Amino acid sequence: MTYYDLAAMLLNGFSHLYMYRQLSGYDRLSVPTMAGLSLLFTVFLGTIVSVTGYPELNGVLLLVFLLAVGLLKGGMPIIHNVLFALFSTAGMTLARLVGLETAMWLYMESPWNLYIWTPSVLHATVSVLILLAALAGRRQIALFGRYAVKGPVFIMSYVLLVPAYFALLLLTSPTSLMPASWYEQAATISYVAAFVLFFILMLVLLISWQVAKDRLADQNQQQLDEEMLAYINKLEKINDEFISFRHDYLNVLQTLDEGVRQKDLALIEDVYTKVVAPTSEQLKLREFDLLKLSNIHVPEVKSVIGVKVMSAYRQDLEVMIDIPEPVETVAMPLIDFVRVLTVLLDNAIEEAAESDGKQLQIAMFDTMEVQYVIIRNSCRDQSADVQRLFAKHVSDKAQGRGIGLFSVKRILDQTTNATLETTLADDLFNQQLLLKRKTNRS
Amino acid sequence: MTIFILEDNIHQAKQLESLVIEVCKEQQIAYDRLSVTSRSDELLNQLHITARIPIYFLDIELKGEERKGLEVAQEIRRHDAEGIIVFVTTHAELAPISYQYMVSALTFIDKGWPMEEQAVMVTKCLQHYAERNVTVRAADDFVVDNEQATVRIPFTELEFIMTDGPHRLSVTAGNRVVHYYGTLKEAEALDGRLLRCHQSYVVNTERIASYESADRVLTMKSGQQVPVSRRLVRKVLQRMKGAGS
């Protein structure tokens, strides 16, 4: 019996920590670390509570513990931290309360006998179920953590969680402070309130998750639309330029024609030096390079590269684009690819603009098995430590910009067929993304 | 050992031919045949008669076809995986990066460069060619090639491999870092020179410079440091001693 209770307690501790990790996006906390931390904490808590005899310490210390983990992580506003900790503490305790009651009720309805160990087994079962639910919904929880901290959901969660937390404290504190009769009344109210709050909280969670998902999709779509529009505008401009160039060219030919017919060498020479020779400059017009993007048949990728190349032009970079053959698909999830590409291009452009070489090279092509994306840029410092660049807050750029490459790494960590090769040679910083295509190997 | 030149401009073909002959004489590089042609099919027909590793100088723009040279190179690669391909072009600075990867071209030579500079490049290419033909050694690389990744790094550069998240490894070699999907266990098993020295590190024993017992840290020849775990110290020291004697 005690084993079941013990298992339930350990599982509860772990679930709280896990939930908190998902909410706050503290990915660096590995599962073994979490298991160790929660084990230690549960033992500590158990000792404290049994020694002092104040069960309400459970809730208080758990909250403090989670807040401390959040502080350890850093880089998070305190109100977010409090919300996440409250959510994990109150939300999960509520869930457990409701789960236990339901399980008990179901058991009573069943034909089985009630034994002395039944509540313990039920407790353990409910804990397992909650942990499984948290594991199954980990992506949703993380999404909620990321986007629910903005807007009305944020305030609503606070409004719900604070009373829920106090209701729970009240429920777990028979020993202290209040007179018994008053406590009984308060406990009944808290009990009902806890149930009601739990269901409202679930509702809020579901709704806000839906909203967050929609908003995220909208944002992506909007950004893509804008980039596509900018790209189309540029193409139209190129087209206009081309038409006017053709027009000029016909005029030049006519003038030359005149000169040739009259065998007037002076006129021909004049036309050549004044009109024809300068057009060679126009022919080298770098914007024509953008047309090379026509080989990319994935609109999202085309628009991202287009926009970035234009911004590189604005910063006076010499851009070389090499997309020799049509690119029909991307060998990894498109949204992730676009994010990775954006960060790599942003970094390359920023660094190239600071450097003397002012070079940016972009290549994308397929071989039999591998899709290559190569981004090169000239750079300032030969001795930049390539290994160090991927650390979370390290950046050779201005403060607070280090997140880029780290998030590239995080995305690629999830992409099993991706290999990223970073080299520094001949003053060129070189990022090579190799995406292995699925092939039918024997 | 054949030298091929594919160039449709007769003047430039002659120029390159005489340059090659001159360099070979000067550097005492031996070759069986020097085949100069302006037609790609003629070159491709001669592929089967080459012995050992040939070198190809290919013009990229042939008869107005902008990418003809690449097509020829791809055709060559289909029959000859080892041959050295050098592209000759009018604008080397615009030479596509992709060519190097698609047909593993050695380098590019710009026709617009001053003759001396071209000569230097041709010499480099021919020296490389001579070297490859003398020491016909299998490339000594750390190679991973599976469903998820293709990684190739010479053992002379590879310093160490470390874990980098679940199922992710990062290889440090010379001036590069490669992140790929795999486990340390698989990586260590690939070659006898690789040694596990820590829960999350595998080192290339040939690149170890020294060991500081106070910090339990290996210093690699590049100056980078790799931790050694208490559990594996003995094994590492044994290997280092074994290599020394």
Side-chain angles (χ1 to χ4, degrees):
Chain A
M1 187 174 106
T2 33
Y3 290 124
Y4 286 121
D5 275 332
L6 204 63
M9 268 165 69
L10 289 176
L11 280 174
N12 289 343
F14 184 77
S15 312
H16 280 299
L17 193 55
Y18 184 76
M19 181 93 170
Y20 180 76
R21 177 184 92 143
Q22 288 308 107
L23 280 170
S24 61
Y26 193 3
D27 289 5
R28 289 195 155 180
L29 214 56
S30 67
V31 172
T33 321
M34 280 198 297
L37 262 180
S38 57
L39 177 71
L40 276 176
F41 179 71
T42 313
V43 170
F44 168 73
L45 205 58
T47 324
I48 292 268
V49 169
S50 58
V51 167
T52 58
Y54 286 112
E56 63 266 42
L57 277 179
N58 263 322
V60 179
L61 284 182
L62 180 61
L63 189 72
V64 172
F65 170 66
L66 290 179
L67 285 174
V69 172
L71 288 178
L72 208 72
K73 180 197 176 218
M76 184 165 56
I78 189 85
I79 46 169
H80 293 178
N81 193 359
V82 173
L83 180 75
F84 294 150
L86 268 178
F87 199 96
S88 168
T89 317
M92 290 199 96
T93 315
L94 277 179
R96 202 156 51 236
L97 191 77
V98 172
L100 259 177
E101 287 300 322
T102 320
M104 206 59 200
W105 176 75
L106 278 176
Y107 196 88
M108 289 309 208
E109 295 289 307
S110 73
W112 301 315
N113 291 328
L114 187 67
Y115 300 102
I116 190 147
W117 45 261
T118 307
S120 300
V121 174
L122 286 181
H123 188 188
T125 319
V126 168
S127 297
V128 169
L129 285 178
I130 288 179
L131 181 58
L132 286 180
L135 284 174
R138 59 186 186 279
R139 287 186 154 246
Q140 283 83 336
I141 296 173
L143 198 66
F144 176 79
R146 254 164 61 206
Y147 293 97
V149 291
K150 301 171 195 145
V153 180
F154 183 56
I155 301 159
M156 209 140 107
S157 312
Y158 249 114
V159 169
L160 285 171
L161 282 169
V162 172
Y165 182 67
F166 283 108
L168 285 169
L169 274 190
L170 216 66
L171 273 180
T172 53
S173 54
T175 48
S176 62
L177 302 175
M178 296 157 285
S181 61
W182 194 81
Y183 169 74
E184 212 159 280
Q185 225 177 10
T188 329
I189 295 171
S190 297
Y191 195 69
V192 177
F195 263 85
V196 175
L197 282 172
F198 174 72
F199 286 109
I200 298 179
L201 203 63
M202 281 320 250
L203 211 64
V204 170
L205 189 67
L206 275 176
I207 292 171
S208 65
W209 179 61
Q210 195 61 41
V211 169
K213 218 172 60 173
D214 289 353
R215 197 182 297 167
L216 197 62
D218 278 356
Q219 248 173 31
N220 276 338
Q221 192 56 47
Q222 203 180 344
Q223 197 188 347
L224 277 180
D225 288 351
E226 273 167 22
E227 283 172 354
M228 205 62 203
L229 207 66
Y231 177 66
I232 289 171
N233 282 340
K234 202 74 190 176
L235 281 188
E236 278 170 358
K237 234 174 88 189
I238 291 173
N239 193 38
D240 289 348
E241 258 165 54
F242 185 69
I243 289 172
S244 82
F245 177 73
R246 199 174 60 174
H247 181 242
D248 290 351
Y249 193 70
L250 287 175
N251 280 341
V252 169
L253 279 187
Q254 269 167 11
T255 331
L256 275 179
D257 191 49
E258 188 63 26
V260 170
R261 266 196 294 126
Q262 293 181 10
K263 306 257 186 280
D264 184 349
L265 198 62
L267 179 64
I268 296 175
E269 206 179 303
D270 190 52
V271 170
Y272 179 79
T273 49
K274 281 196 184 138
V275 189
V276 180
T279 54
S280 74
E281 274 306 302
Q282 224 172 329
L283 271 177
K284 273 194 275 182
L285 195 72
R286 55 195 190 175
E287 260 88 359
F288 282 119
D289 253 19
L290 270 185
L291 294 175
K292 289 185 192 162
L293 296 185
S294 61
N295 261 341
I296 299 182
H297 294 175
V298 187
E300 289 88 343
V301 176
K302 188 195 289 214
S303 68
V304 166
I305 299 185
V307 168
K308 297 300 169 200
V309 168
M310 283 184 258
S311 107
Y313 285 148
R314 277 198 296 279
Q315 298 178 51
D316 276 332
L317 298 186
E318 201 176 298
V319 185
M320 200 186 106
I321 300 172
D322 175 23
I323 299 160
E325 282 163 1
V327 175
E328 304 289 350
T329 54
V330 172
M332 70 182 264
L334 190 58
I335 295 213
D336 290 344
F337 181 76
V338 167
R339 277 191 68 193
V340 169
L341 195 62
T342 312
V343 173
L344 292 182
L345 284 172
D346 278 344
N347 285 348
I349 291 171
E350 199 172 326
E351 179 59 35
E354 301 266 317
S355 72
D356 298 331
K358 303 248 183 254
Q359 291 258 344
L360 176 69
Q361 304 179 355
I362 303 168
M364 187 168 177
F365 50 90
D366 286 278
T367 61
M368 288 287 271
E369 288 183 329
V370 183
Q371 180 165 50
Y372 285 89
V373 179
I374 298 172
I375 296 170
R376 289 181 185 165
N377 62 277
S378 52
C379 53
R380 287 167 295 177
D381 192 2
Q382 267 276 25
S383 60
D385 185 349
V386 266
Q387 183 80 260
R388 221 173 53 101
L389 284 176
F390 285 92
K392 181 157 188 187
H393 292 292
V394 172
S395 171
D396 288 344
K397 315 241 165 62
Q399 274 242 305
R401 307 291 304 278
I403 219 82
L405 270 186
F406 179 75
S407 71
V408 163
K409 206 175 86 61
R410 210 165 68 175
I411 293 173
L412 295 183
D413 281 354
Q414 314 277 336
T415 317
T416 54
N417 65 331
T419 303
L420 183 67
E421 194 168 332
T422 309
T423 52
L424 188 62
D426 304 332
D427 290 325
L428 281 181
F429 185 72
N430 194 342
Q431 293 272 28
Q432 262 178 52
L433 181 60
L434 282 71
L435 300 174
K436 196 101 178 191
R437 293 245 183 224
K438 287 207 168 54
T439 48
N440 300 319
R441 293 187 168 212
S442 50
Chain B
M1 284 176 74
T2 314
I3 298 173
F4 290 101
I5 293 174
L6 178 62
E7 170 65 75
D8 61 350
N9 181 321
I10 294 174
H11 175 67
Q12 286 169 346
K14 278 267 171 276
Q15 204 171 15
L16 186 57
E17 184 185 6
S18 57
L19 184 59
V20 167
I21 293 173
E22 196 181 306
V23 170
C24 283
K25 202 185 249 172
E26 195 179 302
Q27 302 280 329
Q28 298 186 329
I29 293 168
Y31 56 89
D32 301 340
R33 266 164 1 98
L34 176 60
S35 157
V36 183
T37 171
S38 62
R39 294 170 43 136
S40 52
D41 49 344
E42 207 169 288
L43 187 149
L44 293 172
N45 280 334
Q46 293 177 12
L47 284 185
H48 63 280
I49 53 170
T50 64
R52 311 192 61 178
I53 301 169
I55 184 167
Y56 308 87
F57 291 94
L58 306 176
D59 186 7
I60 293 184
E61 305 94 10
L62 285 172
K63 304 232 166 65
E65 278 185 73
E66 212 179 292
R67 286 157 45 75
K68 186 69 180 169
L70 178 67
E71 279 168 36
V72 175
Q74 278 170 327
E75 190 59 33
I76 291 174
R77 272 286 171 260
R78 223 159 279 152
H79 301 282
D80 175 7
E82 289 284 313
I84 302 159
I85 294 179
V86 178
F87 283 113
V88 184
T89 171
T90 35
H91 295 288
E93 81 277 6
L94 294 179
I97 302 170
S98 52
Y99 285 21
Q100 258 161 324
Y101 290 85
M102 291 168 107
V103 294
S104 12
L106 178 66
T107 188
F108 296 88
I109 292 175
D110 196 326
K111 293 178 193 170
W113 286 341
M115 273 327 272
E116 306 86 66
E117 214 169 308
Q118 285 191 45
V120 170
M121 275 312 277
V122 170
T123 312
K124 268 189 196 158
C125 293
L126 287 171
Q127 275 169 344
H128 178 81
Y129 155 76
E131 215 171 282
R132 279 278 292 278
N133 273 299
V134 173
T135 52
V136 190
R137 55 173 167 83
D140 184 25
D141 291 343
F142 170 79
V143 180
V144 176
D145 189 12
N146 54 33
E147 301 243 319
Q148 279 83 28
T150 309
V151 179
R152 182 178 288 273
I153 297 167
F155 266 107
T156 49
E157 287 177 22
L158 190 145
E159 303 271 327
F160 61 88
I161 306 166
M162 62 182 235
T163 51
D164 184 45
H167 264 98
R168 293 294 292 188
L169 296 180
S170 108
V171 188
T172 302
N175 57 359
R176 68 175 134 173
V177 177
V178 181
H179 296 269
Y180 76 100
Y181 179 91
T183 62
L184 267 192
K185 211 171 177 180
E186 293 161 8
E188 186 193 3
L190 280 177
D191 196 281
R193 281 164 288 185
L194 296 173
L195 177 69
R196 185 73 162 261
C197 64
H198 186 275
Q199 163 89 3
S200 34
Y201 286 87
V202 161
V203 282
N204 179 2
T205 46
E206 292 194 338
R207 299 284 303 163
I208 297 175
S210 64
Y211 171 72
E212 285 96 65
S213 52
D215 314 324
R216 280 210 313 280
V217 161
L218 287 169
T219 304
M220 309 305 291
K221 285 180 180 161
S222 66
Q224 273 163 311
Q225 297 196 314
V226 179
V228 179
S229 67
R230 199 183 303 271
R231 201 163 53 86
L232 295 167
V233 163
R234 189 185 295 268
K235 208 174 80 184
V236 172
L237 288 178
Q238 263 172 9
R239 272 298 287 277
M240 285 178 69
K241 245 181 235 151
S245 65

